[in-house]
Short mmCIF file of all heavy atoms in Angstrom, two decimals:
data_model
loop_
_atom_site.label_atom_id
_atom_site.label_comp_id
_atom_site.label_asym_id
_atom_site.label_seq_id
_atom_site.Cartn_x
_atom_site.Cartn_y
_atom_site.Cartn_z
N GLY A 33 3.12 2.52 -12.25
CA GLY A 33 4.53 2.53 -11.83
C GLY A 33 4.79 1.82 -10.51
O GLY A 33 5.89 1.90 -9.96
N GLY A 34 3.77 1.11 -10.02
CA GLY A 34 3.94 0.38 -8.76
C GLY A 34 3.48 1.22 -7.59
O GLY A 34 3.73 2.42 -7.55
N ALA A 35 2.80 0.58 -6.65
CA ALA A 35 2.25 1.32 -5.50
C ALA A 35 3.36 2.00 -4.72
O ALA A 35 3.14 3.03 -4.09
CB ALA A 35 1.46 0.38 -4.60
N PHE A 36 4.57 1.44 -4.76
CA PHE A 36 5.71 2.06 -4.06
C PHE A 36 6.76 2.54 -5.07
O PHE A 36 7.93 2.70 -4.74
CB PHE A 36 6.30 1.08 -3.05
CG PHE A 36 5.35 0.77 -1.93
CD1 PHE A 36 4.41 -0.25 -2.05
CD2 PHE A 36 5.34 1.53 -0.77
CE1 PHE A 36 3.50 -0.53 -1.04
CE2 PHE A 36 4.44 1.25 0.25
CZ PHE A 36 3.51 0.23 0.12
N ALA A 37 6.30 2.73 -6.31
CA ALA A 37 7.12 3.32 -7.38
C ALA A 37 8.40 2.53 -7.66
O ALA A 37 9.38 3.09 -8.14
CB ALA A 37 7.45 4.77 -7.06
N VAL A 38 8.37 1.22 -7.40
CA VAL A 38 9.57 0.42 -7.65
C VAL A 38 9.75 0.18 -9.15
O VAL A 38 10.87 0.14 -9.66
CB VAL A 38 9.51 -0.91 -6.87
CG1 VAL A 38 10.63 -1.84 -7.30
CG2 VAL A 38 9.59 -0.65 -5.36
N THR A 39 8.64 0.05 -9.88
CA THR A 39 8.74 -0.26 -11.31
C THR A 39 8.40 0.95 -12.18
O THR A 39 8.02 0.78 -13.34
CB THR A 39 7.80 -1.44 -11.66
OG1 THR A 39 6.49 -1.14 -11.16
CG2 THR A 39 8.28 -2.73 -11.03
N LYS A 40 8.55 2.11 -11.63
CA LYS A 40 8.22 3.32 -12.40
C LYS A 40 9.04 3.37 -13.69
O LYS A 40 10.25 3.23 -13.66
CB LYS A 40 8.52 4.56 -11.54
CG LYS A 40 7.72 5.77 -11.95
CD LYS A 40 7.88 6.90 -10.93
CE LYS A 40 6.88 8.01 -11.16
NZ LYS A 40 5.52 7.65 -10.81
N GLY A 41 8.34 3.56 -14.81
CA GLY A 41 9.02 3.66 -16.10
C GLY A 41 9.33 2.33 -16.76
O GLY A 41 9.72 2.28 -17.92
N PHE A 42 9.13 1.23 -16.05
CA PHE A 42 9.47 -0.09 -16.62
C PHE A 42 8.56 -0.47 -17.79
O PHE A 42 9.01 -1.07 -18.75
CB PHE A 42 9.40 -1.18 -15.54
CG PHE A 42 10.64 -1.30 -14.71
CD1 PHE A 42 11.35 -0.18 -14.30
CD2 PHE A 42 11.12 -2.56 -14.32
CE1 PHE A 42 12.50 -0.29 -13.53
CE2 PHE A 42 12.28 -2.69 -13.55
CZ PHE A 42 12.97 -1.55 -13.16
N LEU A 43 7.28 -0.13 -17.68
CA LEU A 43 6.36 -0.50 -18.75
C LEU A 43 6.81 0.16 -20.06
O LEU A 43 6.88 -0.49 -21.10
CB LEU A 43 4.93 -0.07 -18.40
CG LEU A 43 3.88 -0.29 -19.49
CD1 LEU A 43 3.70 -1.77 -19.80
CD2 LEU A 43 2.54 0.31 -19.09
N GLU A 44 7.16 1.45 -19.98
CA GLU A 44 7.60 2.18 -21.16
C GLU A 44 8.89 1.56 -21.70
O GLU A 44 9.08 1.43 -22.90
CB GLU A 44 7.84 3.65 -20.82
CG GLU A 44 6.59 4.45 -20.43
CD GLU A 44 6.02 4.12 -19.05
OE1 GLU A 44 6.71 3.44 -18.25
OE2 GLU A 44 4.87 4.53 -18.77
N GLU A 45 9.76 1.14 -20.80
CA GLU A 45 11.07 0.65 -21.22
C GLU A 45 11.03 -0.79 -21.73
O GLU A 45 11.68 -1.11 -22.72
CB GLU A 45 12.02 0.77 -20.03
CG GLU A 45 13.47 0.57 -20.40
CD GLU A 45 14.40 0.81 -19.21
OE1 GLU A 45 13.99 1.52 -18.26
OE2 GLU A 45 15.52 0.26 -19.24
N TYR A 46 10.29 -1.62 -21.06
CA TYR A 46 10.33 -3.05 -21.39
C TYR A 46 9.10 -3.56 -22.14
O TYR A 46 9.10 -4.66 -22.66
CB TYR A 46 10.54 -3.89 -20.13
CG TYR A 46 11.86 -3.67 -19.47
CD1 TYR A 46 12.00 -2.79 -18.41
CD2 TYR A 46 13.01 -4.33 -19.93
CE1 TYR A 46 13.24 -2.57 -17.81
CE2 TYR A 46 14.25 -4.12 -19.34
CZ TYR A 46 14.36 -3.24 -18.28
OH TYR A 46 15.58 -3.02 -17.69
N GLY A 47 8.04 -2.76 -22.17
CA GLY A 47 6.85 -3.16 -22.91
C GLY A 47 5.93 -4.07 -22.13
O GLY A 47 6.34 -4.69 -21.13
N PRO A 48 4.70 -4.18 -22.59
CA PRO A 48 3.67 -4.89 -21.84
C PRO A 48 3.83 -6.41 -21.78
O PRO A 48 3.17 -7.06 -20.98
CB PRO A 48 2.37 -4.51 -22.57
CG PRO A 48 2.80 -4.08 -23.93
CD PRO A 48 4.18 -3.51 -23.79
N ALA A 49 4.73 -6.97 -22.60
CA ALA A 49 4.93 -8.42 -22.51
C ALA A 49 5.86 -8.77 -21.36
O ALA A 49 5.81 -9.88 -20.82
CB ALA A 49 5.50 -8.95 -23.83
N ARG A 50 6.70 -7.82 -20.96
CA ARG A 50 7.63 -8.07 -19.86
C ARG A 50 7.13 -7.48 -18.55
O ARG A 50 7.61 -7.85 -17.47
CB ARG A 50 9.01 -7.46 -20.17
CG ARG A 50 9.65 -7.87 -21.49
CD ARG A 50 10.01 -9.33 -21.57
NE ARG A 50 10.95 -9.87 -20.60
CZ ARG A 50 12.27 -9.67 -20.60
NH1 ARG A 50 12.83 -8.90 -21.50
NH2 ARG A 50 13.04 -10.26 -19.71
N VAL A 51 6.22 -6.51 -18.64
CA VAL A 51 5.71 -5.83 -17.44
C VAL A 51 4.19 -5.87 -17.53
O VAL A 51 3.57 -5.07 -18.22
CB VAL A 51 6.21 -4.37 -17.39
CG1 VAL A 51 5.69 -3.67 -16.14
CG2 VAL A 51 7.74 -4.32 -17.41
N ILE A 52 3.61 -6.84 -16.84
CA ILE A 52 2.19 -7.12 -17.04
C ILE A 52 1.36 -6.57 -15.88
O ILE A 52 1.54 -6.95 -14.73
CB ILE A 52 1.95 -8.65 -17.15
CG1 ILE A 52 2.81 -9.23 -18.29
CG2 ILE A 52 0.48 -8.95 -17.35
CD1 ILE A 52 2.77 -10.75 -18.36
N ASP A 53 0.44 -5.66 -16.22
CA ASP A 53 -0.53 -5.18 -15.24
C ASP A 53 -1.61 -6.25 -15.11
O ASP A 53 -2.25 -6.62 -16.09
CB ASP A 53 -1.18 -3.88 -15.74
CG ASP A 53 -0.47 -2.64 -15.21
OD1 ASP A 53 0.02 -2.67 -14.07
OD2 ASP A 53 -0.44 -1.64 -15.95
N THR A 54 -1.83 -6.72 -13.90
CA THR A 54 -2.82 -7.79 -13.73
C THR A 54 -4.12 -7.22 -13.17
O THR A 54 -4.13 -6.13 -12.59
CB THR A 54 -2.32 -8.84 -12.72
OG1 THR A 54 -2.27 -8.23 -11.43
CG2 THR A 54 -0.97 -9.38 -13.10
N PRO A 55 -5.20 -7.97 -13.32
CA PRO A 55 -6.42 -7.63 -12.56
C PRO A 55 -6.13 -7.78 -11.06
O PRO A 55 -5.11 -8.34 -10.67
CB PRO A 55 -7.43 -8.68 -13.01
CG PRO A 55 -6.84 -9.39 -14.16
CD PRO A 55 -5.36 -9.18 -14.12
N ILE A 56 -7.05 -7.28 -10.24
CA ILE A 56 -6.92 -7.47 -8.79
C ILE A 56 -7.40 -8.89 -8.51
O ILE A 56 -8.58 -9.13 -8.27
CB ILE A 56 -7.74 -6.42 -8.02
CG1 ILE A 56 -7.42 -5.02 -8.54
CG2 ILE A 56 -7.42 -6.50 -6.52
CD1 ILE A 56 -8.25 -3.93 -7.88
N SER A 57 -6.51 -9.82 -8.61
CA SER A 57 -6.83 -11.26 -8.54
C SER A 57 -5.63 -11.99 -7.95
O SER A 57 -5.00 -12.81 -8.62
CB SER A 57 -7.09 -11.82 -9.95
OG SER A 57 -8.01 -11.07 -10.68
N GLU A 58 -5.32 -11.73 -6.68
CA GLU A 58 -4.08 -12.27 -6.13
C GLU A 58 -4.01 -13.78 -6.20
O GLU A 58 -2.97 -14.36 -6.54
CB GLU A 58 -3.87 -11.81 -4.69
CG GLU A 58 -3.58 -10.33 -4.53
CD GLU A 58 -4.82 -9.45 -4.58
OE1 GLU A 58 -5.94 -10.02 -4.61
OE2 GLU A 58 -4.69 -8.21 -4.59
N SER A 59 -5.11 -14.44 -5.86
CA SER A 59 -5.10 -15.90 -5.89
C SER A 59 -4.79 -16.38 -7.29
O SER A 59 -3.91 -17.22 -7.51
CB SER A 59 -6.47 -16.41 -5.42
OG SER A 59 -6.57 -17.79 -5.68
N GLY A 60 -5.49 -15.83 -8.25
CA GLY A 60 -5.30 -16.25 -9.64
C GLY A 60 -3.94 -15.87 -10.18
O GLY A 60 -3.29 -16.67 -10.87
N LEU A 61 -3.49 -14.67 -9.88
CA LEU A 61 -2.25 -14.25 -10.53
C LEU A 61 -1.03 -14.96 -9.96
O LEU A 61 -0.09 -15.28 -10.70
CB LEU A 61 -2.11 -12.72 -10.50
CG LEU A 61 -1.61 -11.99 -9.26
CD1 LEU A 61 -0.09 -11.79 -9.33
CD2 LEU A 61 -2.28 -10.63 -9.18
N VAL A 62 -1.03 -15.25 -8.67
CA VAL A 62 0.11 -15.98 -8.11
C VAL A 62 0.09 -17.42 -8.63
O VAL A 62 1.13 -17.97 -8.99
CB VAL A 62 0.12 -15.93 -6.57
CG1 VAL A 62 1.22 -16.82 -6.00
CG2 VAL A 62 0.32 -14.48 -6.09
N SER A 63 -1.09 -18.00 -8.71
CA SER A 63 -1.18 -19.35 -9.27
C SER A 63 -0.74 -19.37 -10.73
O SER A 63 -0.06 -20.29 -11.17
CB SER A 63 -2.62 -19.89 -9.17
OG SER A 63 -2.98 -20.05 -7.82
N ALA A 64 -1.13 -18.34 -11.47
CA ALA A 64 -0.72 -18.26 -12.87
C ALA A 64 0.80 -18.17 -12.97
O ALA A 64 1.42 -18.75 -13.87
CB ALA A 64 -1.39 -17.07 -13.56
N ALA A 65 1.40 -17.45 -12.04
CA ALA A 65 2.87 -17.34 -12.04
C ALA A 65 3.50 -18.70 -11.73
O ALA A 65 4.52 -19.07 -12.32
CB ALA A 65 3.31 -16.30 -11.02
N ILE A 66 2.88 -19.45 -10.84
CA ILE A 66 3.38 -20.80 -10.54
C ILE A 66 3.37 -21.63 -11.82
O ILE A 66 4.36 -22.30 -12.17
CB ILE A 66 2.50 -21.48 -9.46
CG1 ILE A 66 2.64 -20.74 -8.13
CG2 ILE A 66 2.86 -22.96 -9.31
CD1 ILE A 66 1.62 -21.19 -7.06
#
Side-chain angles (χ1 to χ4, degrees):
Chain A
F36 294 87
V38 171
T39 51
K40 205 171 192 71
F42 276 39
L43 175 64
E44 294 73 13
E45 192 176 337
Y46 295 97
R50 306 294 300 285
V51 180
I52 303 173
D53 266 326
T54 68
I56 310 177
S57 309
E58 291 81 7
S59 169
L61 81 92
V62 174
S63 294
I66 294 170

